[in-house]
Amino acid sequence: MPENPVPPTPAARLRDILQLRFTDLFASLPAHTLEPISPRSPWKRLLKVTGYAVVRLVGNVFRPVRNPEELRGKVWLYVVSQNNYDSLHFLREARPDALLIAGQSKQIGRYNRQVNRLSLRRKLLYYWQLPGVYWALHRTEGERAWRFFDLVFNAIGYYEVYRRTLRHYRPRAVVFANDHNDDARALLLACQAEGVPTAYVQHASVSTNFPPLGFDLSLLEGQDALDKYRQCGPVHGRTELVGMPKADAFLARRNTAPAVQRVALACNALDDLPALAATVHFLVTEFPELQFTLRPHPGDPRDFTFLTQRHPQLQFSDARRQNVFEFLEEHDALIAADTSTHLEATLLNLASVYVRFGNQGITDDYYGYVAHGLVERADSLPVLGAWLRRYQQHKPLDLYHRAAYYNATLGTPDEGHSQARAARLLDEWLAAGQQ
């Protein structure tokens, strides 16, 4: 196990579990992004807490968990989202002792019925900690403890329940694809306390705002991720660069169109809707001969139907139903703001440009794609138009070379075989742990 001791008190553990929630970055998220996560109104936060207590805490008590697979002694692939599932499913196929698992009521999109569940029925028993935890966090985090009181409330009990669960099932190891969500961090701390080996498979581009790596084995996509994690803090355990496993099946089908005709637009909950609408209007007006498809993030709750009403020619991709690579391989170019879809697009040899839909929210060029030359940048609609006209005339066949810093297997014999490489390294690591 890495030398990363579990914080000794409930408040210290909650601070570790919620550390991303108490950052300046999180507090500065746009209002429309933060509102569904943690409402600004204290009355709405209290209402949310009440709903969580009734639906989740009390509701889970009356919903016993019955899993179709035996959990004891297996390798757990812990997922907190549909994207996590897509990133770890290859290990389920590679190892007969691996199974996909999630918290009792966690929403995993279209895979909700395809994962085993960890019971959270006992979580209710640990809310006696709330007064002490809150006041301790208020001393260290100030007013943010109250501003994000609902998130503090939700996180209580995960660690204790997961420790009990680990003692009961004794998994051989737990593999994560997320290192910063509340329940994932709680399970990581529980594994460290119970001596259960942990591994991590990077599922998307990372940020210097993430918690330090605390896994026994970390399988990262490329040098970019390792460099960023070194800025987050000490890197514990063993790290290996394996490329992007979820991209394997698509790298052989790179886009070879000599000019851009089909343009993808990707957006997420951080993007300003009026700014996005203005960009869409500009594009469909200036380039009537091109095909445009908008793909909102699967977690974005906003209604985009007004764009279809204004622009009937605009197409949509449902991220809950269509894999991101399946979406990208139908296009020649990508226009987006802060999203790891830029990297996935470049790997498929799409022309990709960074455009901010509004000037609020997270740090400019959040992932550093522009700074490291992965994508170009357009700071205004006229500049965006000039960029698109250039690629409408000619799109090079070697754009994907720009992704080498982010994908360690690019241009090597392991290109397109990241799943096999990751599975092999995981096998070796698990075998070494048995000796």
Side-chain angles (χ1 to χ4, degrees), residues 40-218:
R40 177 173 294 277
S41 165
W43 298 110
K44 288 184 178 179
R45 290 201 297 276
L46 290 172
L47 184 63
K48 181 184 173 189
V49 163
T50 303
Y52 181 89
V54 173
V55 175
R56 291 288 185 91
L57 296 181
V58 177
N60 284 344
V61 171
F62 297 99
R63 291 193 207 99
V65 171
R66 296 182 178 87
N67 288 309
E69 298 179 282
E70 173 58 58
L71 273 59
R72 287 180 174 84
K74 300 297 180 65
V75 175
W76 291 3
L77 310 176
Y78 187 76
V79 298
V80 300
S81 70
Q82 182 175 293
N83 287 338
N84 279 199
Y85 184 103
D86 287 334
S87 298
L88 292 182
H89 187 261
F90 76 96
L91 292 173
R92 174 73 173 90
E93 298 174 347
R95 295 190 60 89
D97 64 341
L99 52 85
L100 288 143
I101 201 159
Q104 182 168 351
S105 301
K106 197 71 175 181
Q107 293 302 305
I108 314 297
R110 63 177 178 268
Y111 304 123
N112 264 338
R113 297 180 179 275
Q114 299 179 39
V115 296
N116 298 279
R117 298 289 178 169
L118 298 181
S119 174
L120 292 170
R121 300 174 75 187
R122 293 178 179 270
K123 194 170 182 286
L124 184 64
L125 301 177
Y126 297 95
Y127 275 80
W128 60 266
Q129 300 174 357
L130 181 60
V133 163
Y134 172 75
W135 288 113
L137 288 175
H138 193 273
R139 285 195 297 272
T140 60
E141 309 302 329
E143 289 304 313
R144 286 183 184 172
W146 172 242
R147 173 61 188 87
F148 299 119
F149 171 78
D150 49 337
L151 303 182
V152 174
F153 185 91
N154 294 355
I156 286 177
Y158 274 127
Y159 169 79
E160 292 82 0
V161 170
Y162 280 159
R163 281 197 68 175
R164 182 186 179 92
T165 299
L166 292 171
R167 288 196 296 270
H168 179 73
Y169 289 111
R170 298 308 306 176
R172 185 177 179 187
V174 179
V175 183
F176 297 78
N178 181 289
D179 67 335
H180 56 274
N181 273 33
D182 309 345
D183 50 341
R185 288 203 59 74
L187 180 56
L188 172 60
L189 293 184
C191 287
Q192 291 172 353
E194 295 298 328
V196 176
T198 58
Y200 169 61
V201 178
Q202 179 189 344
H203 88 279
S205 291
V206 302
S207 158
T208 54
N209 293 285
F210 282 12
L213 276 181
F215 304 90
D216 298 299
L217 173 68
S218 295

Side-chain angles (χ1 to χ4, degrees), residues 324-337:
V324 66
F325 286 103
E326 295 170 347
F327 166 67
L328 290 171
E329 69 177 353
E330 297 174 350
H331 298 84
D332 309 311
L334 171 71
I335 298 170

